[in-house]
Structures are given as C-alpha cells and as structure tokens.
Amino acid sequence: MTTQNAIDWPEEYLPGTGDNFVSNEVTVAGATAANVWRHLVGTSEWDGCYDNVADISFPQGGGPELKDDLVLSFGTFGFPPLDAHVVEFASPVEGVPGRLSWTAKQDGTLEERLDVLHARPVEDLPGGRVRILIQEARIGHPAAAPAGERPTPMLDGHQAWLDGLASASK
C-alpha cells in the first residue's frame, strides 16, 4: 500500500471554509519529483509550462528561483499582479516529497480584496512515477463568483499548469 502526502493547511485557509477551493492532481510515469521541482521553482520556466501567468517580478530582490520566504509578484486569471510570499519550501529528497506553498494577496475595497494559499506537494511514487498536486484556497469576493462558473476557471487553469509541468518534466 502506498500512502500519499497531504497539505498542512493553516486554519484560515482550511478547504471548505473559504470562498473557493480547487484540487488538481496528476500522476506521471517517466518523470521524477526532482525534475518537476526544477520546472516548478524556476519561475523563468513557468511561461513554457503555463500560459496563464505574466509579469513575474521580485520586488524585494531575489529570483528567478523560488526559495523560502521569497516575495514575488505575478499576474494570473486576469487579476493585476498579486503580491505573493513563499511560506513553505522544501525540495524533494529520496523518500520525502517536495513542498511548496505561497500566499498571495490583493488589497482594495471589499469587492477587490483577495487572499490565497496555493500549495504543491510533489512526490516520487513507486514504479517510476511522480505525483504533482495543486490545491488552492481563496478568500474574498473575487474568488466567490468564479467558484460557481462551469467550467470552473481556476480548476481548468490549474489543470493546464499541471499538464504543462508533466510534459516539460518527462
């Protein structure tokens, strides 16, 4: 039996308690967590895997490689660039999954405010497979309306990012 790792959720982002939550997952043969990780933490690789990200910058310096406590800014899903902060960063090592999470915030009026936790464990599985998971919890008015749309833009957008990562990592 294989046990798969889960995300450690801070209470304020607990799935099911906010305005929008999605979970996407892909399992890929012929890739490794280390190779997926390279494409995931190297922001200069993002546009080759995902066309829904723009204007990546590092307002406090650093980058383009993500690391613990890094502040970055990027646009996605039609939002103006969001201020993001890496809150969990652990590269995968044999037997231990990689873990990456960031928060992102958009200030403004009550109708404009958005608070996000985006989390990604990446782990090797038996048989030369790798599991890539994206889960995201959003709080705020801009998150609520898209949650009811079908197809769900956030779910479809994250699947496109997973598919791009999987393809680039093989």
Side-chain angles (χ1 to χ4, degrees), residues 93-110:
V93 295
E94 190 166 334
V96 180
R99 299 181 72 82
L100 174 65
S101 296
W102 63 71
T103 58
K105 297 186 187 291
Q106 174 178 287
D107 291 326
T109 67
L110 183 62

Side-chain angles (χ1 to χ4, degrees), residues 22-72:
V22 298
S23 180
N24 297 69
E25 179 175 342
V26 65
T27 300
V28 182
T32 65
N35 200 26
V36 171
W37 191 256
R38 179 177 64 85
H39 292 285
L40 181 57
V41 303
T43 62
S44 58
E45 304 272 338
W46 286 5
D47 64 355
C49 299
Y50 185 52
D51 63 3
N52 190 18
V53 66
D55 303 320
I56 301 168
S57 66
F58 304 90
Q60 297 178 3
E65 297 292 316
L66 298 181
K67 63 180 185 175
D68 195 34
D69 206 33
L70 181 76
V71 174
L72 68 151

Side-chain angles (χ1 to χ4, degrees), residues 46 52-59 70-85 102-107 112-118 136-139 142 154 158:
W46 286 5
N52 190 18
V53 66
D55 303 320
I56 301 168
S57 66
F58 304 90
L70 181 76
V71 174
L72 68 151
S73 177
F74 61 94
T76 187
F77 291 103
F79 291 110
L82 298 170
D83 296 325
H85 177 227
W102 63 71
T103 58
K105 297 186 187 291
Q106 174 178 287
D107 291 326
E112 297 169 327
R113 276 185 244 147
L114 181 65
D115 188 0
V116 174
L117 179 72
H118 182 99
E136 185 168 296
R138 291 184 176 182
I139 303 163
M154 191 164 70
H158 287 167

Side-chain angles (χ1 to χ4, degrees), residues 8 34 47 81 97 101 141 151 156 170:
D8 298 323
D47 64 355
S101 296
H141 182 75
D156 290 349
K170 286 186 180 183

Side-chain angles (χ1 to χ4, degrees), residues 2-5 27-28 31-36 92-98 121-132:
T2 300
T3 304
Q4 295 181 332
N5 289 281
T27 300
V28 182
T32 65
N35 200 26
V36 171
V93 295
E94 190 166 334
V96 180
V122 177
E123 65 183 313
D124 287 314
L125 298 175
R129 301 170 301 138
V130 65
R131 174 184 179 237
I132 315 166

